[in-house]
Amino acid sequence: MPNPTTPTSSMTDRVLPVVAAHSWQGFHCESRLVRTDSPGLAPVVLVGGAFQTKESWGRVEAEFLAHADVFTVDLPGWGRADVLPEDDGVEFLADALRHMLDEAGLDAVNLVGGSYGTAITYTFAQRHPDRVPGWPWSAP
């Protein structure tokens, strides 16, 4: 398997990632969108857990890019985003994710949650079932 940081010929055919800044209820957060030339699936949204950032998906992102655009996030509490407010939790983060997807123009998406991201993607799917064509994929 190729090193995820070394571009392969199929990776270099893709458009470079677009990083966007978002604000949710006064909190800074960021997203990263990588598009593929001919997606066969709705975009894949990767939501990580502790110590995962929008840039840390490497090989996982590369595998999904063979089939779909990939959207990764730094929600409040992650990466370059503001610290998560202590009084807010999964619902706040699921709503922040919805806001980021809206701003990116992504309607129907496939969700993938890792660790704590699992709770966020599950809550998002419960609150916005019309945006999730299939069951969210997750790994604790």
Side-chain angles (χ1 to χ4, degrees):
M1 178 168 272
N3 179 335
T5 59
T6 304
T8 65
S9 61
S10 62
M11 291 172 72
T12 57
D13 292 340
R14 294 186 181 94
V15 176
L16 293 175
V18 175
V19 176
H22 305 270
S23 180
W24 174 243
Q25 296 188 2
F27 292 90
H28 172 79
C29 40
E30 293 186 1
S31 65
R32 180 175 178 271
L33 176 60
V34 184
R35 296 212 180 257
T36 188
D37 290 332
S38 54
L41 300 171
V44 173
V45 177
L46 302 174
V47 181
F51 309 113
Q52 285 180 301
T53 67
K54 66 185 179 301
E55 296 89 5
S56 67
W57 288 92
R59 285 180 272 182
V60 173
E61 178 182 280
E63 292 296 325
F64 280 120
L65 281 170
H67 309 284
D69 297 339
V70 176
F71 188 76
T72 58
V73 296
D74 281 346
L75 295 166
W78 278 262
R80 291 187 177 94
D82 288 341
V83 174
L84 177 65
E86 72 178 56
D87 294 336
D88 292 310
V90 173
E91 291 83 9
F92 175 86
L93 294 168
D95 289 342
L97 178 60
R98 181 205 42 82
H99 174 74
M100 295 167 78
L101 290 169
D102 288 348
E103 287 194 341
L106 301 176
D107 294 321
V109 296
N110 291 295
L111 298 174
V112 177
S115 188
Y116 189 72
T118 303
I120 298 165
T121 57
Y122 183 75
T123 301
F124 180 95
Q126 285 181 312
R127 294 171 84 121
H128 310 286
D130 56 314
R131 308 268 310 253
V132 184
W135 189 249
W137 309 328
S138 59

